[in-house]
Amino acid sequence: MSSCTCSRRSSGARWEHDPESARAALSAAISLVLRLLGRDPDDLRVSTDERPYFVLKAGNNEIIGVSQMYASREARDGGMRAVRVNAAVAEVEG
């Protein structure tokens, strides 16, 4: 069974997870982002100065990451491919 505790300090809340639980949660989050990346056309965006970028969303549609701004849609799409490839082989450390 995993454990999670929260303690309140003057600077705000602090969460402590056992390492195995945190690793499993992070791996699950990475898998979810990979499955959802690019499925929603709203994930593919264009900034006010016309530079393409993309957002990463959690399962509840909350934006959890924003890419860099790209020079073209093709470059943005390549950036999304790079996220998929690198996240698929990423190892959780710690």
Side-chain angles (χ1 to χ4, degrees), residues 4-15:
C4 178
T5 60
C6 179
S7 61
R8 193 84 169 138
R9 294 186 175 186
S10 59
S11 62
R14 190 178 121 242
W15 289 91

Side-chain angles (χ1 to χ4, degrees), residues 32-33 35-45 55-66:
L32 179 62
V33 167
R35 282 197 308 272
L36 298 176
L37 180 61
R39 285 203 171 166
D40 183 350
D42 187 43
D43 294 350
L44 309 177
R45 299 183 178 192
V55 297
L56 299 173
K57 293 181 184 175
N60 64 359
N61 280 330
E62 179 181 352
I63 294 174
I64 58 172
V66 178

Side-chain angles (χ1 to χ4, degrees), residues 27-84:
S27 292
I30 289 169
S31 295
L32 179 62
V33 167
L34 287 173
R35 282 197 308 272
L36 298 176
L37 180 61
R39 285 203 171 166
D40 183 350
D42 187 43
D43 294 350
L44 309 177
R45 299 183 178 192
V46 178
S47 68
T48 55
D49 62 352
E50 301 297 316
R51 294 184 297 164
Y53 69 102
F54 63 93
V55 297
L56 299 173
K57 293 181 184 175
N60 64 359
N61 280 330
E62 179 181 352
I63 294 174
I64 58 172
V66 178
S67 75
Q68 68 186 41
M69 301 296 153
Y70 292 94
S72 68
R73 288 185 173 150
E74 293 79 14
R76 177 201 56 207
D77 295 347
M80 288 175 57
R81 280 191 298 278
V83 168
R84 284 189 188 102

